[in-house]
Amino acid sequence: MAQGGAAARGTAKVQDQGWAWMVLVAAVVLQGLTLGFPSCIGVFFTDLQHEFQATNSETSWFPSIMVAVLHAGGPLCSILVKRFGCRFAVMMGGLLSSVGMVSSSFCKSLSQLYLTAGLITGLGSCFSFQAGVTALGYYFVRWRTLANAMASTGVSIGLTLWPLLSQYLLDEMGWRNTFLIFGGILLNCCVCGAVMRPVKFALGSLLQFSSTGEEPGRRAEEAQLSNGASSPHLKLQEQTRKITCFQVLQNYLAFDIFCQNKRYQIYTIGVTWMMMGFVLPHVYLVPYAIQNGLEERRAALLISIIGFINIFIRPLTGLLSGQTIFTGRRIYLYSLAVLLCGLSNFICVISAEFSMLIFYCVILSIAMSGIGALTFQVLMDVVEMDRFSSALGLFTILESITLLIGPPLTGLLVDITSDFRYVFYTSSFFLISASLFMVLSFCALEKKNKLRDTSKVPPDKSTIYNETPNESQSESQPTLAVVHITSI
């Protein structure tokens, strides 16, 4: 007991103070390097088209693959973190990202670019980002919420700086040399990973970051085994536990929750549908502005404006959504942000003047801040925390599918019509319809639950939209699972 208490005090010295703040700085840099990076791809859109004589649809596959892999690689990152730890995963991700961008500078076709910058760099960014967030959760307990909020500012900083740097390097040395330099910049993910040294548990052993699929019961069994319990029954359980395809799906892709929890089902479908239109302005805003006579530097500045406003609005949105007045109502605040994002696209259609496009970017950034701050908080409200990680795995896989096919399909529409305004019409359609679907569906479920309460019929636990137990339960969880957080 004395040794356990001393080890616990040693762990407390590491968490929430000292080296933990260096890890926080590394997490900010990581999010800027990984999640902020895809924002600059639109700057190269026109040059890549001319270089490879490609259509809008063919060119848009490049950023689509990168963003989709960045979201869908979460379960694979979980396995890597569990096997080798967060530091290794972050550094491996940085190496992959660098190799992908360096290789892309020598590409002679778009298909090669899909593989190098799309698949390899996207996967590397996924490893670095998600493993970094996991490590941050272990270094902070008391100030975990504040640490995550501060780390998320790295995304906004990346959104601000990457487009400006990209346009400058593109003007000075072309896209191939720019991609080569980007490969060197992304190697800094390895430096951030080196900062994230393992901490210790109260038992004195090096921290082994838990995977997404570990359930409380399994962790309890492993704790019993580590305490010296060697009964034949426990040994038999340990020997007969084998990794099967079904178990992997159950751990990382919780289809049972999707089938049983109506609120999770509605929310997942709504967000997946929304992603078809959410990413379109990021890909096509710069080409749209250039087509309408705007200088390339001013067109790239538009994306930076979105990122700069995000730095200030996203934390404020997070604080606002945490107020008691929004308890149980965050889904409606989220739907309002999605609706505003969809309506803002009509500003871009009305006029392509620089002043009007700046106004559009301001409104879009405000709406994006609400979506980014609330996406995973709402998911925590509708899913029990002990199954949150596995539910999030399925959530990110499904949204990555629409992130992958959305820009190319819209690019095909632009190729047919030769009018970039259809990009914003399409984006508005998906965003507005998703917002209305979620609001109406949640209202119908709440009305159904009220009727059940009136008739004194016990409600189905899988459809209760009650955030208080989830929040208290999340605070009582000492071990943080690998959380797949995306670039929303």
Side-chain angles (χ1 to χ4, degrees), residues 142-182:
R142 180 182 178 186
W143 302 109
R144 183 176 294 164
T145 302
L146 175 63
N148 283 317
M150 293 177 64
S152 68
T153 60
V155 183
S156 303
I157 295 173
L159 286 172
T160 304
L161 298 181
W162 274 114
L164 297 177
L165 178 63
S166 300
Q167 189 61 58
Y168 172 77
L169 294 176
L170 180 63
D171 293 339
E172 294 295 326
M173 56 189 65
W175 71 269
R176 291 188 182 274
N177 290 327
T178 300
F179 280 11
L180 190 63
I181 293 175
F182 283 172

Side-chain angles (χ1 to χ4, degrees), residues 112-302:
Q112 294 176 356
L113 203 62
Y114 299 157
L115 175 63
T116 55
L119 180 62
I120 298 177
T121 300
L123 191 62
S125 297
C126 175
F127 289 168
S128 294
F129 164 65
Q130 295 194 18
V133 171
T134 304
L136 185 67
Y138 283 110
Y139 269 92
F140 287 91
V141 177
R142 180 182 178 186
W143 302 109
R144 183 176 294 164
T145 302
L146 175 63
N148 283 317
M150 293 177 64
S152 68
T153 60
V155 183
S156 303
I157 295 173
L159 286 172
T160 304
L161 298 181
W162 274 114
L164 297 177
L165 178 63
S166 300
Q167 189 61 58
Y168 172 77
L169 294 176
L170 180 63
D171 293 339
E172 294 295 326
M173 56 189 65
W175 71 269
R176 291 188 182 274
N177 290 327
T178 300
F179 280 11
L180 190 63
I181 293 175
F182 283 172
I185 294 175
L186 291 175
L187 273 177
N188 286 284
C189 292
C190 298
V191 179
C192 296
V195 172
M196 297 176 176
R197 60 193 184 195
V199 296
K200 293 184 178 181
F201 269 140
L203 293 177
S205 60
L206 284 178
L207 176 61
Q208 298 295 327
F209 299 101
S210 60
S211 74
T212 336
E214 288 185 16
E215 302 298 337
R218 178 173 177 176
R219 289 196 296 266
E221 290 178 6
E222 292 175 348
Q224 289 178 355
L225 289 172
S226 63
N227 288 333
S230 57
S231 64
H233 178 66
L234 290 177
K235 285 185 177 180
L236 181 61
Q237 285 184 338
E238 185 67 16
Q239 292 173 356
T240 57
R241 186 186 295 121
K242 297 179 180 179
I243 299 177
T244 63
C245 180
F246 175 79
Q247 287 174 326
V248 171
L249 291 176
Q250 181 69 18
N251 288 340
Y252 297 103
L253 303 175
F255 289 105
D256 58 329
I257 303 178
F258 184 81
C259 295
Q260 298 172 7
N261 189 331
K262 294 298 182 182
R263 295 186 181 277
Y264 172 69
Q265 185 182 99
I266 293 170
Y267 183 62
T268 301
I269 293 174
V271 174
T272 301
W273 181 258
M274 178 201 75
M275 286 298 169
M276 285 285 290
F278 179 76
V279 74
L280 296 181
H282 301 275
V283 177
Y284 290 104
L285 178 59
V286 174
Y288 171 71
I290 294 175
Q291 187 192 53
N292 285 275
L294 203 63
E295 296 178 2
E296 292 184 357
R297 287 183 178 273
R298 303 180 84 183
L301 182 62
L302 295 174

Side-chain angles (χ1 to χ4, degrees), residues 215-421:
E215 302 298 337
R218 178 173 177 176
R219 289 196 296 266
E221 290 178 6
E222 292 175 348
Q224 289 178 355
L225 289 172
S226 63
N227 288 333
S230 57
S231 64
H233 178 66
L234 290 177
K235 285 185 177 180
L236 181 61
Q237 285 184 338
E238 185 67 16
Q239 292 173 356
T240 57
R241 186 186 295 121
K242 297 179 180 179
I243 299 177
T244 63
C245 180
F246 175 79
Q247 287 174 326
V248 171
L249 291 176
Q250 181 69 18
N251 288 340
Y252 297 103
L253 303 175
F255 289 105
D256 58 329
I257 303 178
F258 184 81
C259 295
Q260 298 172 7
N261 189 331
K262 294 298 182 182
R263 295 186 181 277
Y264 172 69
Q265 185 182 99
I266 293 170
Y267 183 62
T268 301
I269 293 174
V271 174
T272 301
W273 181 258
M274 178 201 75
M275 286 298 169
M276 285 285 290
F278 179 76
V279 74
L280 296 181
H282 301 275
V283 177
Y284 290 104
L285 178 59
V286 174
Y288 171 71
I290 294 175
Q291 187 192 53
N292 285 275
L294 203 63
E295 296 178 2
E296 292 184 357
R297 287 183 178 273
R298 303 180 84 183
L301 182 62
L302 295 174
I303 303 296
S304 296
I305 291 173
I306 295 175
F308 182 75
I309 296 175
N310 257 269
I311 296 175
F312 306 99
I313 301 299
R314 182 177 289 209
L316 293 177
T317 305
L319 292 175
L320 178 64
S321 64
Q323 300 299 313
T324 55
I325 190 175
F326 294 110
T327 300
R329 300 184 180 92
R330 276 193 280 260
I331 180 61
Y332 302 109
L333 190 63
Y334 178 81
S335 299
L336 178 62
V338 175
L339 180 63
L340 178 61
C341 191
L343 294 175
S344 67
N345 288 319
F346 291 110
I347 301 174
C348 209
V349 174
I350 293 173
S351 174
E353 295 292 331
F354 184 62
S355 57
M356 189 63 74
L357 290 178
I358 289 179
F359 178 64
Y360 163 71
C361 290
V362 171
I363 302 301
L364 178 66
S365 181
I366 295 173
M368 282 178 53
S369 299
I371 295 173
L374 291 172
T375 298
F376 298 105
Q377 183 60 55
V378 175
L379 187 61
M380 291 177 186
D381 291 343
V382 300
V383 177
E384 294 181 359
M385 285 306 300
D386 61 343
R387 297 298 308 278
F388 174 76
S389 295
S390 53
L392 188 54
L394 178 62
F395 182 84
T396 55
I397 288 290
L398 292 178
E399 70 174 6
S400 68
I401 296 174
T402 50
L403 284 170
L404 176 65
I405 65 177
L409 290 179
T410 307
L412 181 62
L413 181 62
V414 174
D415 292 331
I416 295 173
T417 61
S418 299
D419 192 347
F420 273 97
R421 290 181 299 177

